[in-house]
Amino acid sequence: VSYKGLSKEASFWSITYNSMIVRLLIWKRYGAEAIGSFVQIAILTAVFFLFATAVGFRGYTNFGTHEIFIFFLSGFLILVFDGVAIWSPVNAMQRELYNGTLEYLYFTPMKKYPYFFGYLLGSVITSSLTGFIPAFLILIFYANLSIYNIIMIRITLSLLILSLMSFGIIVSLTVILFKQVQALVSLLGITIEFFTGAFIPIISLPSYA
């Protein structure tokens, strides 16, 4: 008779679920994060509206304040999840490093990707509650979106999250080498936001950009 000990092999989804619960518990116990997110939404929405009254996009002669504000609100939805996809795995790695449990995590037979994936899912849920849903509701009512447009926006953002998730996990691995990578992550975030059409249409960028 062979004995494998008392430990059980954890499945991918079991690890994902439990790490997601950990992220949600952290968010629940630190209410300042949720309050800060709501305040940030209000401030950024007001700032984007002021921008919309003062700027114009090259190549879009018929874009007034109404159309530009809608564009900025759409870009803000991307901003919410692009920050989650990049920062969440990095924050998870730095938390383990700060707590002194990073070595333990990597020496256990537990799979690492579902751990980061679950932490990321937890961040997606919290960001949806405090960032995406309020901004999306504002966009729906301000732009009078149709059901088709709402569905297409949700599909597009879902694909965006999936494409950025693996990127964020790869970036988080640099924490092992460099420990402090906030500047690098911020630089990558700014590049994604401003050079992928989130805040400035591609056609309005200089030809060499």
Side-chain angles (χ1 to χ4, degrees), residues 38-61:
F38 283 119
V39 173
Q40 183 184 41
I41 286 288
I43 293 175
L44 288 177
T45 302
V47 168
F48 285 151
F49 183 77
L50 291 176
F51 281 169
T53 62
V55 304
F57 293 144
R58 182 168 57 88
Y60 292 90
T61 56

Side-chain angles (χ1 to χ4, degrees), residues 22-24 30 33 57 62 66 89 111 120 128 139 141 144 153 170-171 173 180 184 187-189 195 199 208:
V22 168
R23 175 66 182 97
L24 293 176
Y30 296 92
E33 181 181 353
F57 293 144
N62 296 324
H66 180 78
K111 300 180 180 67
L120 182 56
S128 295
L139 178 62
F141 289 108
N144 194 23
I153 290 174
I170 291 174
V171 172
L173 297 178
Q180 300 295 329
L184 173 62
L187 178 61
L188 291 173
F195 292 98
F199 291 140
Y208 53 81

